[in-house]
Amino acid sequence: MTRFRMPALSRLALAGAAALAVVASALTPAATGARAAAADRPEYVALGDSYSAGVFVRPWDDSDGCGRSYRNYPHQVAERFGYRLRDVTCGAAEVVDGILEPQPSDKILGPPTVPPEGGWPELPAQLEALSPDTDFVSVGIGGNSLGFGTILAKCLELGLTQPLKTKPCTDHFTGSGAGAAWLADSFARLDADFGRMMTAIHTAAPHAKVAVVGYPAIVPDSSGCSFLHWNQLGSVKKGDMPWLDGLEKRLNDLLHRHAGHQNAAYVDTYEPSVGHGVCQSGETKWMYGIRDNLTGDGDQTDPPTELCNDIPGTGEACTLVHPNARGLDNQAREVAKVLHHARSTQPWLLTAPQG
């Protein structure tokens, strides 16, 4: 997005060399002072996946396929506190393929979800945005590494193909179910990778205060949910929703534990969003469904892919269960609480204050 225009210089060109010298001598100290003032502002680097990028909330950056919303919590927090922001969050990012290592082209999913010819270019590791001069870091990551998208897709599939079962997804991923061992391995791998990532963050930005941002509530209460409503959870069975909620809590517990072990803050966005999940409606709903109408400012659209066209429903885009504009505002409030205390309080708090 272009926010500034270069001033017209034609009038200056008509002035003599002496006048130009006067103008230059008058402007140079001010420009130098402005640059110095900007350099004095604390540097804030935001790392993370689609929940941190704020994908599908207008207006978003459409330049690299990461879908970063200008309303996401990194932008809101930086504006509130006057930080210099480096927002390298990206949709579909993982702990390894995204934070620790480059994000491959085939793991950059937009919006825009229809990539340019030849695909999106590979992105450098988000870790490269950090330096010894970094003052604050937020990192919201883990869901893609766990395979939440794969899990959700399986729940959608089983809801359609096993109509007589009340909780087919729960049965698949627990006990002796076919997906139970895979899920256990995914959690173990995420546990190891997340610890390695936190160590790498502290090494790259040794003086920074680090905040680990948890995931907001998706379906903490299934009241209001209806089967085959695609602006909710589509073909996910209502009986599977408590298990999905428990899975998210288990993921947040892992993030919280690593924050505590690594002298970082944990930002709880789950509890403040209870009662605002995907099954709610109107302004009470802070979470997009599988296919939903876009929120935020402006008129950006996301032309659907062939796969998206196969998903029923009347929503504008395949939003695939992400925070909407109100959800981003909730995240921003909670991250701001923690970073506010980081500016003036020692030791570095481990949880966001209440109220």
Side-chain angles (χ1 to χ4, degrees), residues 2-254:
T2 302
R3 299 190 179 190
F4 304 97
R5 285 192 239 167
M6 292 290 291
L9 299 179
S10 56
R11 293 192 305 274
L12 294 179
L14 298 176
L20 282 174
V22 172
V23 171
S25 65
L27 292 180
T28 299
T32 302
R35 286 194 296 271
D40 286 343
R41 291 158 54 200
E43 181 182 83
Y44 166 35
V45 178
L47 316 175
D49 60 19
S50 55
Y51 273 58
S52 293
V55 298
F56 297 112
V57 175
R58 299 178 296 221
W60 63 74
D61 180 353
D62 60 5
S63 65
D64 60 3
C66 286
R68 296 179 203 91
S69 172
Y70 292 98
R71 188 168 171 163
N72 66 12
Y73 70 77
H75 279 81
Q76 290 199 47
V77 168
E79 182 176 357
R80 174 171 176 175
F81 295 129
Y83 295 157
R84 286 181 294 126
L85 174 64
R86 294 198 66 188
D87 182 4
V88 292
T89 58
C90 191
E94 301 175 13
V95 172
V96 176
D97 288 349
I99 303 285
L100 293 172
E101 298 178 10
Q103 188 166 340
S105 177
D106 63 354
K107 290 187 177 180
I108 301 173
L109 306 180
T113 52
V114 177
E117 186 175 355
W120 297 108
E122 178 182 273
L123 291 168
Q126 293 181 25
L127 199 69
E128 294 181 11
L130 303 176
S131 76
D133 295 328
T134 303
D135 298 289
F136 298 98
V137 178
S138 64
V139 56
I141 199 82
N144 296 321
S145 301
L146 180 64
F148 185 79
T150 300
I151 294 166
L152 180 61
K154 192 65 178 179
C155 291
L156 291 167
E157 172 196 336
L158 293 174
L160 291 172
T161 60
Q162 298 187 10
L164 299 181
K165 286 192 173 183
T166 59
K167 49 183 183 63
C169 198
T170 305
D171 295 341
H172 179 82
F173 286 108
T174 61
S176 58
W182 173 86
L183 183 60
D185 288 345
S186 296
F187 263 109
R189 184 168 54 252
L190 174 59
D191 198 8
D193 289 342
F194 205 94
R196 186 159 59 94
M197 178 197 72
M198 291 297 294
T199 299
I201 289 173
H202 284 300
T203 300
H207 309 298
K209 303 297 186 182
V210 181
V212 176
V213 183
Y215 289 91
I218 296 173
V219 58
D221 182 351
S222 61
S223 61
C225 274
S226 301
F227 189 63
L228 296 184
H229 280 215
W230 295 92
N231 67 332
Q232 298 178 358
L233 288 180
S235 57
V236 176
K237 290 291 189 72
K238 195 169 182 176
D240 281 322
M241 293 180 187
W243 178 79
L244 278 173
D245 183 51
L247 180 74
E248 187 183 8
K249 289 179 178 178
R250 184 180 171 189
L251 173 59
N252 279 337
D253 286 345
L254 184 151

Side-chain angles (χ1 to χ4, degrees), residues 270-345:
Y270 179 96
E271 285 300 327
S273 58
V274 170
H276 299 280
V278 71
C279 299
Q280 303 302 315
S281 60
E283 294 188 359
T284 307
K285 181 180 178 181
W286 294 357
M287 184 69 58
Y288 286 129
I290 302 295
R291 183 164 185 159
D292 221 329
N293 291 326
L294 298 174
T295 59
D297 299 324
D299 57 1
Q300 274 176 306
T301 60
D302 186 51
T305 61
E306 291 184 15
L307 180 60
C308 182
N309 280 328
D310 290 338
I311 296 178
T314 58
E316 295 175 61
C318 289
T319 44
L320 299 174
V321 193
H322 286 93
N324 61 21
R326 289 174 291 275
L328 297 194
D329 294 346
N330 167 62
Q331 291 174 308
R333 284 190 296 270
E334 299 309 312
V335 175
K337 287 179 186 178
V338 172
L339 292 188
H340 171 72
H341 281 270
R343 290 153 57 92
S344 57
T345 305

